[in-house]
Every structure is written in C-alpha cells, then in structure tokens.
Amino acid sequence: MNVYDFDDTIFRGDSTRAFWAYCLKRAPGLARFLPRQCAAAVRYVLGRTAKEAFKEAFFSFLQGVPDADAWAEDFWRTHERRFRPWYLAQKQPDDLVVSASPEFLLAPACRRLGIRPPIASRVDARTGRYTGLNCKGAEKVSRFREQYPDAEIGQFYSDSRSDAPLAHLARRAFLVRGDSYTSWEV
C-alpha cells in the first residue's frame, strides 16, 4: 500500500485551520472560543503546555458546533478542489492517509477520494477532547502497526521531516513541496 500524510501533502494547506475558518464563517459566534485558543497558543509557544493540551483548547470550538460530523461532510463539498492534482492522478483505492489532523475531519475526505479510512488523531467531535495521542512522528508508526501489523509501505509521501519514522518503513519515500515531490533521502 501507499501511505500519505494529508495536510500540505494531499491537501493544499492545513485542513484543521481551513475547517476552523469554515465553521467561523458559518457560525460567527464561535469567535467566543478565541480567547481560550489564543491563551493556549501562547502557553504552547512558551513551552508551558503539551501539544495535546494546546490542540484540545483549539478544538474547544467544537462545543459550539451543533453537528461537527455533518459540518465536516459539508466542508469537503466546498474544499475538495484543494486536493493536489498530482495525487488525484495517481490515487489508488488502497491508499492510506496517516495524519495528525482529526479523524472525524479526514474520514469524509477519504471517502470522497475513494480510499481507505484514515489513521488520524482521535478527537471527540462534540467536545474537542483527545481520546488518544496526537498522531504525529513515532505515534504514526505505532498507529499504523496497530492497524496493519504486517503491511508493507510501497511509497510514502509527506511534506514534513517529522514523518521520518514512517518514511523509514517505506520502500520509497518522497518529500512533497507544493505541487511536486522529490525523493526523500532517509
């Protein structure tokens, strides 16, 4: 199987930020969560809070979204145009996305793409709380092995060197830069 990161790899930009902007436009009252989000961002930048705690504070806006799963479905109707053309030209039904973005947000995107369900961060779509670790770096390998213990990665694509643990598992790895990619020297 081929494995892909999602944000800035298959999708142009960061899907979480795009979804936040979409939600804020749809329900401007969600701005009431900005003070909590900003305070958490400052604590994270200063090294006073863990990434999961920062992300939970960011995702607290989901408490004001009446049906985040339905909104995620609608979000992808208007944002699928941001899937990268090079990916659309080569995608296969057994492709797998492994991402730090929330699973509830990426599952509808993967369905629209016609690929396997994603392995992603488990975030409660009603509360914004994490129900596991942030799916990044070595955690991506753990989650991949948990779900596919004997699988081999033919090709791996990511825009981030933090994905080196997954890149090391692949027969071939590629570093994505915009609408092109080059061989990843691991």
Side-chain angles (χ1 to χ4, degrees):
M1 82 174 59
N2 294 330
V3 176
Y4 297 81
D5 179 44
F6 191 77
D7 295 323
D8 288 319
T9 300
I10 289 176
F11 182 75
R12 279 190 197 98
D14 183 288
S15 60
T16 297
R17 283 194 297 258
F19 182 64
W20 160 241
Y22 162 86
C23 290
L24 190 59
K25 183 177 179 184
R26 191 167 172 178
L30 293 174
R32 71 184 182 274
F33 293 95
L34 278 170
R36 180 177 180 192
Q37 292 169 315
C38 291
V42 169
R43 285 191 305 276
Y44 177 69
V45 168
L46 295 175
R48 295 187 178 160
T49 193
K51 186 166 224 164
E52 283 87 357
F54 158 66
K55 285 186 152 192
E56 278 190 354
F58 175 79
F59 286 121
S60 66
F61 80 91
L62 293 171
Q63 296 168 25
V65 174
D67 186 344
D69 291 320
W71 285 29
E73 289 283 351
D74 188 62
F75 169 79
W76 288 112
R77 276 194 286 283
T78 59
H79 286 74
E80 68 182 343
R81 62 182 167 22
R82 290 175 59 179
F83 294 146
R84 294 195 188 274
W86 67 262
Y87 174 71
L88 295 174
Q90 73 183 36
K91 75 180 178 82
Q92 299 294 317
D94 68 341
D95 286 350
L96 176 68
V97 165
V98 182
S99 175
S101 289
E103 196 171 80
F104 81 86
L105 179 59
L106 297 189
C110 291
R111 281 193 300 275
R112 288 181 96 67
L113 287 166
I115 62 175
R116 294 175 190 255
I119 294 174
S121 295
R122 295 175 181 136
V123 176
D124 185 306
R126 291 178 315 279
T127 66
R129 303 211 35 108
Y130 270 69
T131 58
L133 297 175
N134 187 38
C135 190
K136 184 175 174 140
E139 180 63 15
K140 285 188 175 187
V141 172
S142 296
R143 296 276 310 282
F144 175 75
R145 285 292 176 222
E146 175 185 303
Q147 194 160 341
Y148 300 99
D150 301 320
E152 291 186 20
I153 300 174
Q155 296 180 7
F156 173 71
Y157 297 80
S158 177
D159 70 302
S160 175
R161 292 270 182 199
S162 70
D163 284 332
L166 264 181
H168 283 97
L169 294 181
R171 277 183 265 155
R172 293 187 68 203
F174 299 93
L175 195 58
V176 176
R177 292 290 176 251
D179 286 327
S180 62
Y181 52 86
T182 59
S183 184
W184 183 328
E185 302 303 321
V186 289

